[in-house]
mmCIF file of all heavy atoms in Angstrom:
data_model
loop_
_atom_site.group_PDB
_atom_site.id
_atom_site.type_symbol
_atom_site.label_atom_id
_atom_site.label_comp_id
_atom_site.label_asym_id
_atom_site.label_seq_id
_atom_site.Cartn_x
_atom_site.Cartn_y
_atom_site.Cartn_z
ATOM 1 N N SER A 290 13.871 -18.321 10.065
ATOM 2 C CA SER A 290 12.664 -18.572 9.278
ATOM 3 C C SER A 290 11.610 -19.267 10.132
ATOM 4 O O SER A 290 10.437 -18.870 10.144
ATOM 5 C CB SER A 290 13.003 -19.420 8.051
ATOM 6 O OG SER A 290 11.838 -19.764 7.346
ATOM 7 N N ASP A 291 12.021 -20.317 10.865
ATOM 8 C CA ASP A 291 11.083 -21.026 11.741
ATOM 9 C C ASP A 291 10.511 -20.079 12.795
ATOM 10 O O ASP A 291 9.308 -20.123 13.113
ATOM 11 C CB ASP A 291 11.779 -22.203 12.429
ATOM 12 C CG ASP A 291 12.132 -23.313 11.451
ATOM 13 O OD1 ASP A 291 11.574 -23.329 10.338
ATOM 14 O OD2 ASP A 291 12.978 -24.169 11.808
ATOM 15 N N TRP A 292 11.382 -19.226 13.345
ATOM 16 C CA TRP A 292 10.942 -18.272 14.374
ATOM 17 C C TRP A 292 9.916 -17.297 13.808
ATOM 18 O O TRP A 292 8.882 -17.050 14.428
ATOM 19 C CB TRP A 292 12.158 -17.526 14.908
ATOM 20 C CG TRP A 292 11.831 -16.470 15.920
ATOM 21 C CD1 TRP A 292 11.544 -16.652 17.238
ATOM 22 C CD2 TRP A 292 11.746 -15.056 15.678
ATOM 23 N NE1 TRP A 292 11.291 -15.446 17.849
ATOM 24 C CE2 TRP A 292 11.406 -14.442 16.917
ATOM 25 C CE3 TRP A 292 11.935 -14.259 14.553
ATOM 26 C CZ2 TRP A 292 11.248 -13.061 17.039
ATOM 27 C CZ3 TRP A 292 11.778 -12.889 14.673
ATOM 28 C CH2 TRP A 292 11.436 -12.295 15.902
ATOM 29 N N MET A 293 10.183 -16.748 12.629
ATOM 30 C CA MET A 293 9.251 -15.788 12.024
ATOM 31 C C MET A 293 7.908 -16.442 11.707
ATOM 32 O O MET A 293 6.843 -15.856 11.934
ATOM 33 C CB MET A 293 9.854 -15.192 10.749
ATOM 34 C CG MET A 293 10.931 -14.163 10.983
ATOM 35 S SD MET A 293 11.503 -13.424 9.418
ATOM 36 C CE MET A 293 12.588 -12.131 10.043
ATOM 37 N N ILE A 294 7.955 -17.659 11.204
ATOM 38 C CA ILE A 294 6.717 -18.371 10.866
ATOM 39 C C ILE A 294 5.863 -18.575 12.110
ATOM 40 O O ILE A 294 4.657 -18.289 12.123
ATOM 41 C CB ILE A 294 7.036 -19.712 10.179
ATOM 42 C CG1 ILE A 294 7.601 -19.465 8.768
ATOM 43 C CG2 ILE A 294 5.800 -20.609 10.124
ATOM 44 C CD1 ILE A 294 8.231 -20.690 8.142
ATOM 45 N N GLU A 295 6.486 -19.066 13.181
ATOM 46 C CA GLU A 295 5.744 -19.327 14.408
ATOM 47 C C GLU A 295 5.209 -18.034 15.022
ATOM 48 O O GLU A 295 4.057 -17.973 15.477
ATOM 49 C CB GLU A 295 6.620 -20.076 15.422
ATOM 50 C CG GLU A 295 7.057 -21.456 14.972
ATOM 51 C CD GLU A 295 5.881 -22.356 14.606
ATOM 52 O OE1 GLU A 295 4.819 -22.264 15.274
ATOM 53 O OE2 GLU A 295 6.022 -23.139 13.649
ATOM 54 N N LYS A 296 6.039 -16.997 15.043
ATOM 55 C CA LYS A 296 5.619 -15.747 15.682
ATOM 56 C C LYS A 296 4.530 -15.039 14.873
ATOM 57 O O LYS A 296 3.603 -14.457 15.450
ATOM 58 C CB LYS A 296 6.819 -14.814 15.879
ATOM 59 C CG LYS A 296 7.825 -15.327 16.902
ATOM 60 C CD LYS A 296 7.159 -15.582 18.257
ATOM 61 C CE LYS A 296 8.115 -16.178 19.268
ATOM 62 N NZ LYS A 296 7.455 -16.497 20.553
ATOM 63 N N LEU A 297 4.617 -15.075 13.555
ATOM 64 C CA LEU A 297 3.557 -14.474 12.737
ATOM 65 C C LEU A 297 2.228 -15.189 12.963
ATOM 66 O O LEU A 297 1.173 -14.553 13.074
ATOM 67 C CB LEU A 297 3.941 -14.511 11.257
ATOM 68 C CG LEU A 297 4.930 -13.447 10.799
ATOM 69 C CD1 LEU A 297 5.419 -13.763 9.386
ATOM 70 C CD2 LEU A 297 4.318 -12.054 10.835
ATOM 71 N N ALA A 298 2.284 -16.516 13.026
ATOM 72 C CA ALA A 298 1.058 -17.274 13.275
ATOM 73 C C ALA A 298 0.489 -16.944 14.652
ATOM 74 O O ALA A 298 -0.728 -16.791 14.823
ATOM 75 C CB ALA A 298 1.340 -18.775 13.158
ATOM 76 N N GLU A 299 1.364 -16.796 15.655
ATOM 77 C CA GLU A 299 0.903 -16.454 16.996
ATOM 78 C C GLU A 299 0.321 -15.043 17.046
ATOM 79 O O GLU A 299 -0.727 -14.811 17.668
ATOM 80 C CB GLU A 299 2.073 -16.566 17.994
ATOM 81 C CG GLU A 299 2.513 -17.997 18.278
ATOM 82 C CD GLU A 299 3.733 -18.055 19.192
ATOM 83 O OE1 GLU A 299 4.039 -17.012 19.825
ATOM 84 O OE2 GLU A 299 4.379 -19.113 19.275
ATOM 85 N N LEU A 300 1.014 -14.093 16.400
ATOM 86 C CA LEU A 300 0.504 -12.725 16.382
ATOM 87 C C LEU A 300 -0.887 -12.669 15.765
ATOM 88 O O LEU A 300 -1.795 -12.009 16.287
ATOM 89 C CB LEU A 300 1.457 -11.816 15.609
ATOM 90 C CG LEU A 300 2.748 -11.384 16.303
ATOM 91 C CD1 LEU A 300 3.558 -10.482 15.373
ATOM 92 C CD2 LEU A 300 2.481 -10.660 17.607
ATOM 93 N N LYS A 301 -1.057 -13.358 14.660
ATOM 94 C CA LYS A 301 -2.362 -13.340 13.998
ATOM 95 C C LYS A 301 -3.437 -13.957 14.882
ATOM 96 O O LYS A 301 -4.547 -13.428 15.006
ATOM 97 C CB LYS A 301 -2.298 -14.065 12.661
ATOM 98 C CG LYS A 301 -3.589 -13.976 11.852
ATOM 99 C CD LYS A 301 -3.450 -14.657 10.513
ATOM 100 C CE LYS A 301 -4.603 -14.394 9.591
ATOM 101 N NZ LYS A 301 -5.930 -14.344 10.147
ATOM 102 N N GLN A 302 -3.120 -15.082 15.500
ATOM 103 C CA GLN A 302 -4.100 -15.760 16.354
ATOM 104 C C GLN A 302 -4.519 -14.877 17.522
ATOM 105 O O GLN A 302 -5.706 -14.826 17.882
ATOM 106 C CB GLN A 302 -3.516 -17.072 16.866
ATOM 107 C CG GLN A 302 -4.481 -17.870 17.728
ATOM 108 C CD GLN A 302 -3.885 -19.187 18.195
ATOM 109 O OE1 GLN A 302 -2.687 -19.428 18.061
ATOM 110 N NE2 GLN A 302 -4.707 -20.049 18.743
ATOM 111 N N VAL A 303 -3.559 -14.177 18.111
ATOM 112 C CA VAL A 303 -3.865 -13.365 19.289
ATOM 113 C C VAL A 303 -4.484 -12.026 18.902
ATOM 114 O O VAL A 303 -5.464 -11.580 19.508
ATOM 115 C CB VAL A 303 -2.580 -13.142 20.124
ATOM 116 C CG1 VAL A 303 -2.829 -12.100 21.225
ATOM 117 C CG2 VAL A 303 -2.116 -14.457 20.743
ATOM 118 N N PHE A 304 -3.930 -11.358 17.885
ATOM 119 C CA PHE A 304 -4.366 -9.997 17.579
ATOM 120 C C PHE A 304 -5.661 -9.930 16.784
ATOM 121 O O PHE A 304 -6.407 -8.950 16.900
ATOM 122 C CB PHE A 304 -3.265 -9.242 16.825
ATOM 123 C CG PHE A 304 -2.276 -8.555 17.725
ATOM 124 C CD1 PHE A 304 -1.133 -9.213 18.143
ATOM 125 C CD2 PHE A 304 -2.501 -7.258 18.162
ATOM 126 C CE1 PHE A 304 -0.216 -8.594 18.979
ATOM 127 C CE2 PHE A 304 -1.599 -6.624 18.999
ATOM 128 C CZ PHE A 304 -0.454 -7.294 19.415
ATOM 129 N N ASP A 305 -5.954 -10.918 15.960
ATOM 130 C CA ASP A 305 -7.158 -10.839 15.126
ATOM 131 C C ASP A 305 -8.426 -10.547 15.947
ATOM 132 O O ASP A 305 -9.216 -9.671 15.574
ATOM 133 C CB ASP A 305 -7.335 -12.129 14.316
ATOM 134 C CG ASP A 305 -6.641 -12.046 12.964
ATOM 135 O OD1 ASP A 305 -5.953 -11.034 12.703
ATOM 136 O OD2 ASP A 305 -6.777 -12.990 12.159
ATOM 137 N N PRO A 306 -8.672 -11.252 17.063
ATOM 138 C CA PRO A 306 -9.884 -10.941 17.835
ATOM 139 C C PRO A 306 -9.894 -9.519 18.399
ATOM 140 O O PRO A 306 -10.944 -8.872 18.430
ATOM 141 C CB PRO A 306 -9.863 -11.980 18.964
ATOM 142 C CG PRO A 306 -9.031 -13.105 18.445
ATOM 143 C CD PRO A 306 -7.972 -12.450 17.614
ATOM 144 N N TYR A 307 -8.723 -9.014 18.826
ATOM 145 C CA TYR A 307 -8.658 -7.659 19.346
ATOM 146 C C TYR A 307 -8.902 -6.644 18.231
ATOM 147 O O TYR A 307 -9.548 -5.615 18.458
ATOM 148 C CB TYR A 307 -7.308 -7.401 20.010
ATOM 149 C CG TYR A 307 -7.141 -8.135 21.329
ATOM 150 C CD1 TYR A 307 -6.477 -9.354 21.386
ATOM 151 C CD2 TYR A 307 -7.642 -7.588 22.509
ATOM 152 C CE1 TYR A 307 -6.316 -10.025 22.597
ATOM 153 C CE2 TYR A 307 -7.483 -8.243 23.723
ATOM 154 C CZ TYR A 307 -6.826 -9.468 23.756
ATOM 155 O OH TYR A 307 -6.674 -10.132 24.953
ATOM 156 N N LEU A 308 -8.364 -6.908 17.039
ATOM 157 C CA LEU A 308 -8.603 -6.018 15.906
ATOM 158 C C LEU A 308 -10.093 -6.010 15.530
ATOM 159 O O LEU A 308 -10.641 -4.962 15.197
ATOM 160 C CB LEU A 308 -7.748 -6.450 14.714
ATOM 161 C CG LEU A 308 -6.233 -6.218 14.865
ATOM 162 C CD1 LEU A 308 -5.478 -6.889 13.710
ATOM 163 C CD2 LEU A 308 -5.902 -4.723 14.918
ATOM 164 N N ASP A 309 -10.711 -7.174 15.595
ATOM 165 C CA ASP A 309 -12.157 -7.240 15.328
ATOM 166 C C ASP A 309 -12.920 -6.385 16.337
ATOM 167 O O ASP A 309 -13.819 -5.624 15.971
ATOM 168 C CB ASP A 309 -12.651 -8.681 15.379
ATOM 169 C CG ASP A 309 -12.208 -9.500 14.172
ATOM 170 O OD1 ASP A 309 -11.822 -8.877 13.157
ATOM 171 O OD2 ASP A 309 -12.233 -10.731 14.254
ATOM 172 N N ASP A 310 -12.565 -6.526 17.619
ATOM 173 C CA ASP A 310 -13.248 -5.750 18.660
ATOM 174 C C ASP A 310 -13.016 -4.257 18.479
ATOM 175 O O ASP A 310 -13.920 -3.445 18.728
ATOM 176 C CB ASP A 310 -12.754 -6.179 20.061
ATOM 177 C CG ASP A 310 -13.207 -7.584 20.436
ATOM 178 O OD1 ASP A 310 -14.157 -8.093 19.787
ATOM 179 O OD2 ASP A 310 -12.621 -8.160 21.355
ATOM 180 N N ALA A 311 -11.804 -3.891 18.037
ATOM 181 C CA ALA A 311 -11.467 -2.471 17.892
ATOM 182 C C ALA A 311 -12.213 -1.805 16.749
ATOM 183 O O ALA A 311 -12.328 -0.582 16.721
ATOM 184 C CB ALA A 311 -9.958 -2.317 17.681
ATOM 185 N N THR A 312 -12.713 -2.600 15.814
ATOM 186 C CA THR A 312 -13.369 -2.028 14.634
ATOM 187 C C THR A 312 -14.879 -2.260 14.627
ATOM 188 O O THR A 312 -15.545 -2.011 13.624
ATOM 189 C CB THR A 312 -12.770 -2.628 13.343
ATOM 190 O OG1 THR A 312 -12.816 -4.060 13.407
ATOM 191 C CG2 THR A 312 -11.332 -2.177 13.174
ATOM 192 N N THR A 313 -15.422 -2.781 15.730
ATOM 193 C CA THR A 313 -16.870 -2.998 15.811
ATOM 194 C C THR A 313 -17.496 -2.066 16.830
ATOM 195 O O THR A 313 -16.798 -1.450 17.634
ATOM 196 C CB THR A 313 -17.188 -4.455 16.181
ATOM 197 O OG1 THR A 313 -16.523 -4.788 17.417
ATOM 198 C CG2 THR A 313 -16.734 -5.388 15.101
#
Side-chain angles (χ1 to χ4, degrees):
S290 175
D291 291 343
W292 177 79
M293 285 184 173
I294 290 167
E295 296 304 324
K296 292 304 176 183
L297 281 169
E299 289 176 15
L300 284 180
K301 185 177 190 322
Q302 182 179 12
V303 170
F304 272 90
D305 270 5
Y307 289 97
L308 290 171
D309 287 342
D310 291 343
T312 53
T313 56

